[in-house]
Amino acid sequence: MHGLAVDRNQHVYVADRSNARVQVFDANGKHLATWPNIRFPNHVFVSDAAQDVWVADNMTAEIVKFDVNGNRLFSWDASGTAPGGFGELHQFAVDSKGNVYTADNVLGRLQKLAPKPGADPKHLIGQSVKLASKAR
């Protein structure tokens, strides 16, 4: 296991990079699905509103969008040394404005990526899932 995320239904997505797959479990640990043939999944992230699952494939520096059933919806090649590119996208997080903060293990740098005005919302990573409301 290299990374994990939880969706609003308490499904746990595990980036199993040694076995080139993402595995999905329920809150009790029951195996629900395996998404094979992801070359080297390094990080997994679930967006809040759309419940999209984003996976960083560090073998290709590709960022892949799946639905919660494992259907590949979109991807982009993010390889390269120029701003916005990666040698190995190791981790990423998203703030409330949709800015993506990234950690590159090979190039040894952090980046903040801001959405372009007018960008197609289907291609934006979005906000993280909020698991519980604050106690009052």
Side-chain angles (χ1 to χ4, degrees):
M1 178 185 87
H2 199 73
L4 60 89
V6 180
D7 72 13
R8 72 176 76 169
N9 295 317
Q10 302 300 307
H11 292 157
V12 179
Y13 300 83
V14 177
D16 180 4
R17 79 178 187 182
S18 295
N19 293 301
R21 64 188 179 187
V22 169
Q23 293 192 80
V24 185
F25 301 89
D26 70 12
N28 297 313
K30 178 183 175 193
H31 181 262
L32 301 175
T34 297
W35 304 350
N37 304 319
I38 303 169
R39 284 160 268 196
F40 210 64
N42 228 12
H43 183 71
V44 62
F45 177 88
V46 179
S47 66
D48 191 12
Q51 290 291 276
D52 299 316
V53 180
W54 293 84
V55 177
D57 182 344
N58 98 359
M59 184 70 68
T60 61
E62 187 176 48
I63 301 170
V64 186
K65 176 183 177 181
F66 295 90
D67 66 17
V68 294
N69 297 312
N71 297 306
R72 186 181 178 122
L73 303 175
F74 174 75
S75 67
W76 78 83
D77 177 2
S79 63
T81 58
F86 304 99
E88 178 187 317
L89 178 56
H90 198 74
Q91 295 284 319
F92 61 90
V94 182
D95 69 16
S96 63
K97 296 178 182 172
N99 296 307
V100 179
Y101 299 84
T102 66
D104 188 316
N105 199 35
V106 170
L107 299 178
R109 67 181 181 189
L110 306 173
Q111 295 185 77
K112 175 184 176 183
L113 307 174
K116 289 183 180 178
D120 185 344
K122 293 183 296 192
H123 298 163
L124 299 177
I125 294 176
Q127 299 174 344
S128 62
V129 173
K130 291 161 185 63
L131 296 177
S133 60
K134 293 180 180 178
R136 294 183 181 222

